[in-house]
Amino acid sequence: MTVEIVRTACPHDCPSACALEVERLSPTQIGRVRGAADLPFTAGVVCEKVGRYAERVHHPDRLTHPMRRVSSKGEGKFEQISWDEALDTIADAFKVASDKHGPEAVWPYHSGGTLGVVQRYGMDRLSRTMGYSGMIGTICVTPAMSGWAAGVGGQRGVDPMEIEESDLIVVWGGNPVHTNVNLMNHIQKARKTRGAKLVVVDVYRTSTMAAADIGLVLRPGTDAALALAMMQMILDEGLADEDYLSEFTDFDDDVRAHLATKTPDWAAAVTGLEVDEITEFARLYGATKKSYIKFGVGFTRSRNGATNMHAASALPAVTGAWRQRGGGAFWGSFDIWGLDTTLAHAADKIGNVTRMLDQSRIGAILNGDESALKGGPPVAAMLIQNSNTALVAPDTAAVRRGLSREDLFVCVHEHFMTATARYADILLPAAMFLELDDMYKGWGHTALSMGPRVLDPHEECRSNLEVVNALAKRLGADHPSFDMSASELVDATLQASGKGTLEDALAKGWVDCAPSFEDAHFLNGFPHKDGRFHFKPDWAAVGPFSAGMPGIIDHWAVTDTIGPDRPLKLVTPPSRTYLNSSFTETPGSKRREKQPMAMIHPKDAAHYGVTDGGMVRIGNKQGDILLRAKISDTAKPGVVISEGVWPDDAYDRKVGINLLIDGTPVAPSGGAAFHDTAIWLKAEADELTADAAD
Ligand SMILES: Nc1nc2c(c(=O)[nH]1)N[C@H]1C(S)=C(S)[C@@H](COP(=O)(O)OP(=O)(O)OC[C@H]3O[C@@H](n4cnc5c(=O)[nH]c(N)nc54)[C@H](O)[C@@H]3O)O[C@H]1N2
Ligand SMILES: Nc1nc2c(c(=O)[nH]1)N[C@H]1C(S)=C(S)[C@@H](COP(=O)(O)OP(=O)(O)OC[C@H]3O[C@@H](n4cnc5c(=O)[nH]c(N)nc54)[C@H](O)[C@@H]3O)O[C@H]1N2
Ligand code: SF4
Ligand SMILES: [Mo]
């Protein structure tokens, strides 16, 4: 067999958007997948789950043909039908819903299954041409974006490639060993070549923290208190860059007086850190000019997540680290791409969308909550692509009640029989990235990675674009893009954006979209009207749920209430070889992850009579689930960690862990508090649990 190496890019919901080299064994078969060496951020590194992508693309359980539901919703029994019949049925259902309630009753819904510029957002063209409901994509980064918008202004920052020139690297509220492995590679280079120090701030001793010089384990939702105390000390000890503060920020006497009260003692009581831990980190950060903070998103998935991001994002403004090469901060590059999406997303028709619905409030929306529906008609028909909402959205029980409604038509377009797919009226088989064309925004760096098709489509699988274009024809939707292929749309988008042609981009493998050094470091000012970083944020300008948010940088104590009925805090961070609920089907990932665990502090274990390897039930008013206990002092007492979003089958109630996650929008712009859930816990007797654990 001849092995050919072909180039493409990873589409998964990950900051890396790796450029890939794929062993092609035949037009329908791949071998190993490797990171390409020439895209500087990828630098030849790839995560283990994509390295063995052959397991996913050639998985025997892939959906292979269109199907119609023949059981009750959620039960998941289907029979094969033709593509024509499937598409006709969907188009008819959309017309019926639209005739009965108006076009806003149809809700195309997508998430980040693919981050493709064309294949992810392409369904917006249906909403925009037909006047269907649009979607505000809040499930992932909205709290992080809101916090960054409040202080910094625009969604960009210092290119993580500059880490290699930093003397101090802080990974704050992120776990790149699991979620962004390429970043770790650049961090390790800086440590080897310049002796840079690595500090990790998290709520448990993650694999990333294991590699750090200093690891700070604090209580969930208290990062702002740590940041404030650091600023207090840096100002107090004369380590602040006062010139920078007056030239580039709104810092004034009010802010100075306010920060003066935020002492390490105060912060130690809030965060659970030792005073010495806070002062040591503050002095190290204050004294190192080339300090780079890489913020993760994990620490923003809390009711006060946006204020945590805002507070921590002020640190480089206090030391003036933004001025330095290798200094400053970064969390994501969402504002740098400058793409003209008139064709790819029907941006020219955006005015036809009269109602935008919040993706994370799908439970409330499908159950007729008037505020979530914005006073408009019920949702009566959906097309779901790139999302396993029945498992990953907050308030799983409400989502599933909604998806079970007999008066709701649901089409799901998927790779596998997911929890969501089981609720479909029509289930369509989706092509995987190796079988389609697209380009991907690397939101954890600055390149658009090119992802051309390298395999023939599997069985009857079709891409998102093909499905949307075929539906558009049946619905009479009018837009030139509905006659275009994915590669034509990529080409047209690049050209309209002044980024060359598809041919040039494919030859290189990516398109560099990095802002200039001055813009990335905000040396021309911050993207606010006054050009300054804001210690006094205008939250009302950021989002609609700003009531009660602090008008001056602060720790906002609004996390889920710990009390006698729910004395512990649950955090549900990503596991290493699952990606949200993707890869939970691949043998390599299953072997590695084994089963969902609850990591419980020895003090709590003793208090509740939990044994290592025994079973515990955790719950709140939304429900309860059973987990296997691992006794570990990885987190603070009172904090329970359960990594991974596992399929229903991993739990005794046959419902995933988001059963326990509350669906109230995070202030000020929405999003879910995935890592902020107060719970009760009890040990369960072994004989009761032996079956459920298998
Ligand atoms: N292997 C793998 N990779 C992934 C994913 C995955 O599920 N698995 N998911 C992908 C997606 S969709 C995204 S958005 C990114 C997210 O990637 P990251 O930016 O790394 O964010 P998270 O993984 O959500 O959270 C990371 C860390 O935040 C910590 N954390 C939680 N609460 C707090 C807190 O209050 N304070 C502090 N300091 N830390 C806290 C968690 O313990 C966790 O270790 O990763 C992507 N990559
Ligand atoms: N408890 C808890 N819940 C969480 C999180 C957490 O940390 N803890 N993280 C949250 C975050 S950050 C996010 S982003 C969300 C993610 O939520 P989702 O984006 O829903 O992520 P996945 O569960 O991986 O589901 C994506 C689905 O898209 C499918 N898919 C992939 N590519 C394609 C394609 O090209 N076409 C079609 N039609 N389908 C495709 C995949 O098979 C997969 O089933 O989950 C959130 N939920
Ligand atoms: S999941 Fe992330 S790290 Fe893994 S190959 Fe894809 S982009 Fe790279
Ligand atoms: Mo995400």
Side-chain angles (χ1 to χ4, degrees):
M1 197 181 332
T2 44
V3 179
E4 197 187 347
I5 304 295
V6 287
R7 287 286 299 245
T8 187
C10 178
H12 283 285
D13 196 352
C14 171
S16 291
C18 291
L20 302 177
E21 288 173 358
V22 180
E23 290 178 0
R24 178 162 60 188
L25 310 180
S26 80
T28 55
Q29 208 192 347
I30 63 159
R32 287 296 296 177
V33 176
R34 297 189 181 82
D38 53 356
L39 176 61
F41 190 75
T42 306
V45 172
V46 79
C47 65
E48 60 178 275
K49 59 193 178 300
V50 170
R52 44 171 192 257
Y53 211 81
E55 287 187 358
R56 190 165 192 271
V57 68
H58 304 311
H59 197 294
D61 296 344
R62 265 189 80 172
L63 301 179
T64 50
H65 43 259
M67 293 190 283
R68 178 198 359 246
R69 183 171 53 82
V70 294
S71 63
S72 61
K73 295 194 179 208
E75 203 184 323
K77 293 211 177 80
F78 294 87
E79 67 180 13
Q80 181 169 355
I81 55 173
S82 70
W83 267 104
D84 276 337
E85 193 181 350
L87 292 164
D88 289 345
T89 308
I90 303 161
D92 285 347
F94 282 16
K95 283 181 196 152
V96 168
S98 194
D99 289 346
K100 187 162 177 202
H101 303 283
E104 287 181 340
V106 182
W107 192 25
Y109 188 98
H110 62 84
S111 192
T114 165
L115 294 190
V117 171
V118 166
Q119 307 280 357
R120 176 186 190 180
Y121 300 99
M123 63 158 43
D124 290 349
R125 294 175 299 144
L126 278 183
S127 317
R128 291 173 179 179
T129 50
M130 300 297 292
Y132 294 158
S133 283
M135 193 193 81
I136 316 173
T138 54
I139 207 161
C140 183
V141 292
T142 295
M145 266 188 180
S146 306
W148 195 259
V152 171
Q155 307 298 330
R156 61 173 199 262
V158 176
D159 188 337
M161 292 306 297
E162 277 189 37
I163 280 181
E164 292 178 15
E165 298 177 61
S166 307
D167 294 324
L168 171 62
I169 302 152
V170 183
V171 171
W172 195 312
N175 184 8
V177 168
H178 285 194
T179 60
N180 191 2
V181 65
N182 316 73
L183 181 79
M184 249 2 247
N185 178 35
H186 299 297
I187 291 175
Q188 297 299 24
K189 271 192 210 156
R191 300 178 76 202
K192 271 200 202 107
T193 55
R194 347 174 19 101
K197 284 215 156 32
L198 173 64
V199 179
V200 175
V201 183
D202 207 291
V203 297
Y204 73 114
R205 285 203 299 274
T206 59
S207 328
T208 305
M209 198 180 285
D213 299 286
I214 299 176
L216 297 175
V217 174
L218 38 61
R219 293 194 187 111
T222 65
D223 299 77
L226 170 61
L228 291 164
M230 291 170 69
M231 291 181 235
Q232 183 273 334
M233 278 197 62
I234 290 167
L235 286 159
D236 192 50
E237 300 194 351
L239 295 169
D241 185 338
E242 297 281 351
D243 291 344
Y244 186 89
L245 282 171
S246 60
E247 191 183 342
F248 285 96
T249 81
D250 67 352
F251 191 87
D252 60 11
D253 290 346
D254 291 347
V255 181
R256 194 182 296 277
H258 170 75
L259 285 176
T261 64
K262 306 297 177 184
T263 61
D265 283 327
W266 166 81
V270 177
T271 59
L273 293 166
E274 301 294 329
V275 171
D276 286 352
E277 290 180 291
I278 299 172
T279 54
E280 184 195 3
F281 180 31
R283 289 198 177 109
L284 178 64
Y285 185 79
T288 314
K289 286 298 166 205
K290 283 178 180 284
S291 62
Y292 186 101
I293 309 182
K294 170 62 178 70
F295 290 111
V297 242
F299 83 113
T300 70
R301 296 196 171 122
S302 188
R303 282 164 183 70
N304 61 0
T307 53
N308 293 333
M309 175 62 100
H310 172 250
S313 73
L315 282 162
V318 175
T319 62
W322 288 113
R323 295 186 201 259
Q324 308 286 327
R325 185 167 290 281
F330 178 77
W331 82 273
S333 47
F334 286 85
D335 279 0
I336 68 169
W337 309 104
L339 292 181
D340 179 330
T341 55
T342 308
L343 279 170
H345 305 161
D348 52 334
K349 301 282 182 188
I350 208 164
N352 290 338
V353 174
T354 48
R355 174 169 75 168
M356 293 293 285
L357 296 176
D358 180 340
Q359 170 188 40
S360 302
R361 300 189 76 192
I362 178 171
I365 287 166
L366 296 187
N367 287 287
D369 179 303
E370 273 190 29
S371 77
L373 284 167
K374 302 204 165 155
V379 168
M382 295 182 78
L383 166 63
I384 301 179
Q385 291 181 323
N386 307 329
S387 167
N388 189 4
T389 184
L391 200 61
V392 305
D395 201 355
T396 307
V399 176
R400 292 179 187 204
R401 264 197 322 278
L403 288 172
S404 304
R405 268 174 39 205
E406 284 305 327
D407 61 345
L408 171 69
F409 171 86
V410 178
C411 168
V412 178
H413 186 199
E414 248 304 339
H415 295 148
F416 292 99
M417 186 65 76
T418 60
T420 310
R422 289 179 200 282
Y423 289 86
D425 293 281
I426 298 289
L427 181 53
L428 304 175
M432 287 191 185
F433 77 101
L434 297 159
E435 303 152 359
L436 52 81
D437 293 293
D438 214 331
M439 60 181 170
Y440 307 95
K441 296 175 188 167
W443 62 268
H445 52 102
T446 59
L448 262 177
S449 308
M450 301 307 298
R453 182 162 81 82
V454 295
L455 284 186
D456 292 344
H458 179 63
E459 302 278 345
E460 290 187 57
C461 295
R462 291 192 188 171
S463 71
N464 293 357
L465 182 97
E466 290 172 299
V467 167
V468 168
N469 283 2
L471 280 176
K473 288 272 168 316
R474 284 167 169 79
L475 292 162
D478 181 26
H479 197 259
S481 63
F482 293 131
D483 292 313
M484 294 173 75
S485 69
S487 62
E488 285 166 346
L489 278 174
V490 172
D491 190 23
T493 303
L494 287 173
Q495 295 205 39
S497 316
K499 295 189 186 294
T501 64
L502 174 65
E503 201 184 340
D504 299 338
L506 286 178
K508 186 166 185 195
W510 75 91
V511 179
D512 187 8
C513 299
S516 67
F517 178 84
E518 283 72 21
D519 280 349
H521 288 252
F522 304 109
L523 301 181
N524 300 320
F526 287 87
H528 283 298
K529 274 204 195 89
D530 62 2
R532 290 167 183 272
F533 178 88
H534 289 181
F535 286 87
K536 295 172 160 178
D538 179 3
W539 290 111
V542 179
F545 316 113
S546 65
M549 295 187 79
I552 193 161
I553 189 166
D554 215 343
H555 165 61
W556 192 32
V558 294
T559 48
D560 203 7
T561 316
I562 299 285
D565 57 332
R566 292 181 299 145
L568 303 169
K569 178 61 77 71
L570 172 69
V571 175
T572 61
S575 55
R576 184 164 182 158
T577 61
Y578 293 161
L579 195 148
N580 304 319
S581 73
S582 300
F583 295 89
T584 52
E585 65 287 323
T586 56
S589 295
K590 280 164 94 166
R591 255 195 319 275
R592 181 174 178 117
E593 304 297 339
K594 297 191 181 72
Q595 63 176 316
M597 307 289 291
M599 290 189 252
I600 299 169
H601 195 276
K603 281 190 186 154
D604 298 320
H607 181 78
Y608 293 99
V610 176
T611 52
D612 195 38
M615 300 304 287
V616 288
R617 191 167 289 285
I618 60 172
N620 56 15
K621 69 175 188 318
Q622 307 209 151
D624 58 81
I625 60 168
L626 193 67
L627 290 165
R628 192 169 289 285
K630 178 170 191 257
I631 300 179
S632 159
D633 62 358
T634 186
K636 292 284 178 219
V639 179
V640 175
I641 307 285
S642 185
E643 288 182 349
V645 181
W646 295 71
D648 291 349
D649 278 356
Y651 303 96
D652 67 323
R653 305 272 191 237
K654 305 298 175 211
V655 186
I657 198 160
N658 286 4
L659 180 64
L660 308 185
I661 309 290
D662 177 49
T664 313
V666 169
S669 327
F674 291 115
H675 305 327
D676 179 13
T677 306
I679 49 162
W680 51 256
L681 179 149
K682 56 188 182 203
E684 290 237 338
D686 275 352
E687 59 271 20
L688 271 177
T689 60
D691 294 344
D694 287 341

PDB file of all heavy atoms in Angstrom, residues 325-341:
ATOM      1  N   ARG A 325       7.553  43.059  24.392  1.00  0.00           N
ATOM      2  CA  ARG A 325       7.476  41.854  23.571  1.00  0.00           C
ATOM      3  C   ARG A 325       7.515  40.649  24.527  1.00  0.00           C
ATOM      4  O   ARG A 325       8.339  40.625  25.440  1.00  0.00           O
ATOM      5  CB  ARG A 325       8.668  41.802  22.600  1.00  0.00           C
ATOM      6  CG  ARG A 325       8.609  40.653  21.623  1.00  0.00           C
ATOM      7  CD  ARG A 325       9.618  40.807  20.493  1.00  0.00           C
ATOM      8  NE  ARG A 325       9.262  41.896  19.580  1.00  0.00           N
ATOM      9  CZ  ARG A 325       8.344  41.808  18.615  1.00  0.00           C
ATOM     10  NH1 ARG A 325       7.691  40.688  18.410  1.00  0.00           N
ATOM     11  NH2 ARG A 325       8.091  42.842  17.848  1.00  0.00           N
ATOM     12  N   GLY A 326       6.587  39.726  24.346  1.00  0.00           N
ATOM     13  CA  GLY A 326       6.502  38.610  25.300  1.00  0.00           C
ATOM     14  C   GLY A 326       5.730  38.990  26.558  1.00  0.00           C
ATOM     15  O   GLY A 326       5.658  38.203  27.495  1.00  0.00           O
ATOM     16  N   GLY A 327       5.171  40.189  26.575  1.00  0.00           N
ATOM     17  CA  GLY A 327       4.391  40.617  27.741  1.00  0.00           C
ATOM     18  C   GLY A 327       2.951  40.915  27.347  1.00  0.00           C
ATOM     19  O   GLY A 327       2.649  41.082  26.178  1.00  0.00           O
ATOM     20  N   GLY A 328       2.072  40.978  28.358  1.00  0.00           N
ATOM     21  CA  GLY A 328       0.666  41.271  28.082  1.00  0.00           C
ATOM     22  C   GLY A 328      -0.214  40.081  28.402  1.00  0.00           C
ATOM     23  O   GLY A 328       0.099  39.302  29.317  1.00  0.00           O
ATOM     24  N   ALA A 329      -1.278  39.936  27.653  1.00  0.00           N
ATOM     25  CA  ALA A 329      -2.216  38.846  27.947  1.00  0.00           C
ATOM     26  C   ALA A 329      -3.012  38.498  26.699  1.00  0.00           C
ATOM     27  O   ALA A 329      -3.029  39.255  25.717  1.00  0.00           O
ATOM     28  CB  ALA A 329      -3.168  39.262  29.064  1.00  0.00           C
ATOM     29  N   PHE A 330      -3.682  37.351  26.779  1.00  0.00           N
ATOM     30  CA  PHE A 330      -4.447  36.839  25.643  1.00  0.00           C
ATOM     31  C   PHE A 330      -5.434  35.816  26.152  1.00  0.00           C
ATOM     32  O   PHE A 330      -5.128  35.054  27.077  1.00  0.00           O
ATOM     33  CB  PHE A 330      -3.482  36.170  24.667  1.00  0.00           C
ATOM     34  CG  PHE A 330      -4.138  35.544  23.456  1.00  0.00           C
ATOM     35  CD1 PHE A 330      -4.570  36.338  22.401  1.00  0.00           C
ATOM     36  CD2 PHE A 330      -4.308  34.169  23.371  1.00  0.00           C
ATOM     37  CE1 PHE A 330      -5.173  35.765  21.284  1.00  0.00           C
ATOM     38  CE2 PHE A 330      -4.900  33.588  22.255  1.00  0.00           C
ATOM     39  CZ  PHE A 330      -5.332  34.391  21.214  1.00  0.00           C
ATOM     40  N   TRP A 331      -6.611  35.807  25.581  1.00  0.00           N
ATOM     41  CA  TRP A 331      -7.498  34.655  25.842  1.00  0.00           C
ATOM     42  C   TRP A 331      -8.020  34.087  24.528  1.00  0.00           C
ATOM     43  O   TRP A 331      -8.168  32.882  24.401  1.00  0.00           O
ATOM     44  CB  TRP A 331      -8.633  35.034  26.795  1.00  0.00           C
ATOM     45  CG  TRP A 331      -9.775  35.704  26.105  1.00  0.00           C
ATOM     46  CD1 TRP A 331      -9.911  37.030  25.844  1.00  0.00           C
ATOM     47  CD2 TRP A 331     -10.925  35.059  25.548  1.00  0.00           C
ATOM     48  NE1 TRP A 331     -11.074  37.259  25.150  1.00  0.00           N
ATOM     49  CE2 TRP A 331     -11.718  36.065  24.964  1.00  0.00           C
ATOM     50  CE3 TRP A 331     -11.362  33.732  25.477  1.00  0.00           C
ATOM     51  CZ2 TRP A 331     -12.921  35.786  24.319  1.00  0.00           C
ATOM     52  CZ3 TRP A 331     -12.565  33.473  24.834  1.00  0.00           C
ATOM     53  CH2 TRP A 331     -13.325  34.481  24.270  1.00  0.00           C
ATOM     54  N   GLY A 332      -8.305  34.957  23.538  1.00  0.00           N
ATOM     55  CA  GLY A 332      -8.818  34.440  22.271  1.00  0.00           C
ATOM     56  C   GLY A 332      -8.804  35.534  21.231  1.00  0.00           C
ATOM     57  O   GLY A 332      -8.869  36.717  21.553  1.00  0.00           O
ATOM     58  N   SER A 333      -8.692  35.114  19.965  1.00  0.00           N
ATOM     59  CA  SER A 333      -8.638  36.099  18.887  1.00  0.00           C
ATOM     60  C   SER A 333      -9.914  35.992  18.071  1.00  0.00           C
ATOM     61  O   SER A 333      -9.956  35.255  17.105  1.00  0.00           O
ATOM     62  CB  SER A 333      -7.410  35.861  18.013  1.00  0.00           C
ATOM     63  OG  SER A 333      -7.299  34.485  17.695  1.00  0.00           O
ATOM     64  N   PHE A 334     -10.938  36.667  18.502  1.00  0.00           N
ATOM     65  CA  PHE A 334     -12.209  36.603  17.781  1.00  0.00           C
ATOM     66  C   PHE A 334     -12.413  37.811  16.875  1.00  0.00           C
ATOM     67  O   PHE A 334     -13.270  37.788  16.003  1.00  0.00           O
ATOM     68  CB  PHE A 334     -13.363  36.465  18.778  1.00  0.00           C
ATOM     69  CG  PHE A 334     -13.438  35.088  19.379  1.00  0.00           C
ATOM     70  CD1 PHE A 334     -12.679  34.752  20.491  1.00  0.00           C
ATOM     71  CD2 PHE A 334     -14.210  34.102  18.796  1.00  0.00           C
ATOM     72  CE1 PHE A 334     -12.720  33.467  21.015  1.00  0.00           C
ATOM     73  CE2 PHE A 334     -14.253  32.819  19.313  1.00  0.00           C
ATOM     74  CZ  PHE A 334     -13.509  32.501  20.430  1.00  0.00           C
ATOM     75  N   ASP A 335     -11.643  38.867  17.083  1.00  0.00           N
ATOM     76  CA  ASP A 335     -11.874  40.109  16.326  1.00  0.00           C
ATOM     77  C   ASP A 335     -10.853  40.348  15.219  1.00  0.00           C
ATOM     78  O   ASP A 335     -10.825  41.419  14.643  1.00  0.00           O
ATOM     79  CB  ASP A 335     -11.788  41.317  17.289  1.00  0.00           C
ATOM     80  CG  ASP A 335     -13.078  41.521  18.046  1.00  0.00           C
ATOM     81  OD1 ASP A 335     -14.013  40.743  17.827  1.00  0.00           O
ATOM     82  OD2 ASP A 335     -13.131  42.461  18.865  1.00  0.00           O
ATOM     83  N   ILE A 336      -9.996  39.372  14.959  1.00  0.00           N
ATOM     84  CA  ILE A 336      -8.859  39.707  14.087  1.00  0.00           C
ATOM     85  C   ILE A 336      -9.047  39.296  12.630  1.00  0.00           C
ATOM     86  O   ILE A 336      -8.196  39.597  11.807  1.00  0.00           O
ATOM     87  CB  ILE A 336      -7.550  39.047  14.589  1.00  0.00           C
ATOM     88  CG1 ILE A 336      -7.611  37.523  14.428  1.00  0.00           C
ATOM     89  CG2 ILE A 336      -7.250  39.433  16.028  1.00  0.00           C
ATOM     90  CD1 ILE A 336      -6.256  36.845  14.642  1.00  0.00           C
ATOM     91  N   TRP A 337     -10.125  38.587  12.302  1.00  0.00           N
ATOM     92  CA  TRP A 337     -10.123  37.871  11.029  1.00  0.00           C
ATOM     93  C   TRP A 337     -10.454  38.739   9.835  1.00  0.00           C
ATOM     94  O   TRP A 337      -9.975  38.480   8.729  1.00  0.00           O
ATOM     95  CB  TRP A 337     -11.051  36.648  11.104  1.00  0.00           C
ATOM     96  CG  TRP A 337     -10.727  35.820  12.307  1.00  0.00           C
ATOM     97  CD1 TRP A 337     -11.421  35.754  13.479  1.00  0.00           C
ATOM     98  CD2 TRP A 337      -9.567  35.004  12.493  1.00  0.00           C
ATOM     99  NE1 TRP A 337     -10.779  34.942  14.381  1.00  0.00           N
ATOM    100  CE2 TRP A 337      -9.641  34.464  13.805  1.00  0.00           C
ATOM    101  CE3 TRP A 337      -8.475  34.670  11.690  1.00  0.00           C
ATOM    102  CZ2 TRP A 337      -8.656  33.618  14.315  1.00  0.00           C
ATOM    103  CZ3 TRP A 337      -7.502  33.826  12.203  1.00  0.00           C
ATOM    104  CH2 TRP A 337      -7.601  33.306  13.499  1.00  0.00           C
ATOM    105  N   GLY A 338     -11.295  39.726  10.027  1.00  0.00           N
ATOM    106  CA  GLY A 338     -11.632  40.638   8.933  1.00  0.00           C
ATOM    107  C   GLY A 338     -12.204  39.932   7.717  1.00  0.00           C
ATOM    108  O   GLY A 338     -11.853  40.262   6.586  1.00  0.00           O
ATOM    109  N   LEU A 339     -13.080  38.950   7.938  1.00  0.00           N
ATOM    110  CA  LEU A 339     -13.644  38.215   6.803  1.00  0.00           C
ATOM    111  C   LEU A 339     -14.937  38.865   6.325  1.00  0.00           C
ATOM    112  O   LEU A 339     -15.793  39.232   7.135  1.00  0.00           O
ATOM    113  CB  LEU A 339     -13.926  36.761   7.190  1.00  0.00           C
ATOM    114  CG  LEU A 339     -12.711  35.884   7.468  1.00  0.00           C
ATOM    115  CD1 LEU A 339     -13.151  34.463   7.805  1.00  0.00           C
ATOM    116  CD2 LEU A 339     -11.753  35.876   6.269  1.00  0.00           C
ATOM    117  N   ASP A 340     -15.069  38.969   5.026  1.00  0.00           N
ATOM    118  CA  ASP A 340     -16.307  39.452   4.422  1.00  0.00           C
ATOM    119  C   ASP A 340     -17.217  38.234   4.229  1.00  0.00           C
ATOM    120  O   ASP A 340     -16.954  37.378   3.382  1.00  0.00           O
ATOM    121  CB  ASP A 340     -15.982  40.105   3.081  1.00  0.00           C
ATOM    122  CG  ASP A 340     -17.240  40.619   2.385  1.00  0.00           C
ATOM    123  OD1 ASP A 340     -18.324  40.030   2.586  1.00  0.00           O
ATOM    124  OD2 ASP A 340     -17.122  41.603   1.630  1.00  0.00           O
ATOM    125  N   THR A 341     -18.257  38.139   5.048  1.00  0.00           N
ATOM    126  CA  THR A 341     -19.103  36.942   5.028  1.00  0.00           C
ATOM    127  C   THR A 341     -20.444  37.180   4.310  1.00  0.00           C
ATOM    128  O   THR A 341     -21.419  36.495   4.585  1.00  0.00           O
ATOM    129  CB  THR A 341     -19.357  36.437   6.462  1.00  0.00           C
ATOM    130  OG1 THR A 341     -19.899  37.513   7.232  1.00  0.00           O
ATOM    131  CG2 THR A 341     -18.092  35.935   7.108  1.00  0.00           C
TER     132      THR A 341
END
